[in-house]
């Protein structure tokens, strides 16, 4: 799956290093487009709770930690 298609609509909300992190997650863990979309939604919610205008790497990592059977290495 091409990561760029998932990021197009949200690129203004994502810091560049977050896009790199998400691409690694797609490649290493075979996430589907739907999974990445849900991950971005949860990341955006976490960023909103922290009153951050952009999704940062720590927001994505926290969202990843909520996935079942996912170990951060």
């Amino acid at each position: 799956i091409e990561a760029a298609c998932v990021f197009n609509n949200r690129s203004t909300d994502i810091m560049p290093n977050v896009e790199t992190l998400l691409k690694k997650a797609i490649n290493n863990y075979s996430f589907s487009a739907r999974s990445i979309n849900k991950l971005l939604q949860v990341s955006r919610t976490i960023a909103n709770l922290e009153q951050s205008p952009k999704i940062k790497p720590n927001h994505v990592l926290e969202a990843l930690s909520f996935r079942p059977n996912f170990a951060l290495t």
Side-chain angles (χ1 to χ4, degrees), residues 17-41:
N17 51 350
V18 170
E19 188 170 342
T20 303
L21 178 66
L22 288 171
K23 286 179 182 178
K24 286 181 183 178
I26 290 170
N27 292 332
N28 292 340
Y29 300 101
S30 301
F31 289 155
S32 66
R34 176 178 271 174
S35 295
I36 294 297
N37 187 39
K38 293 291 185 182
L39 182 66
L40 286 171
Q41 287 177 348

Side-chain angles (χ1 to χ4, degrees), residues 53-65:
K54 295 209 179 258
I55 297 172
K56 298 177 182 175
N58 60 315
H59 301 141
V60 175
L61 291 172
E62 186 173 348
L64 281 169
S65 73

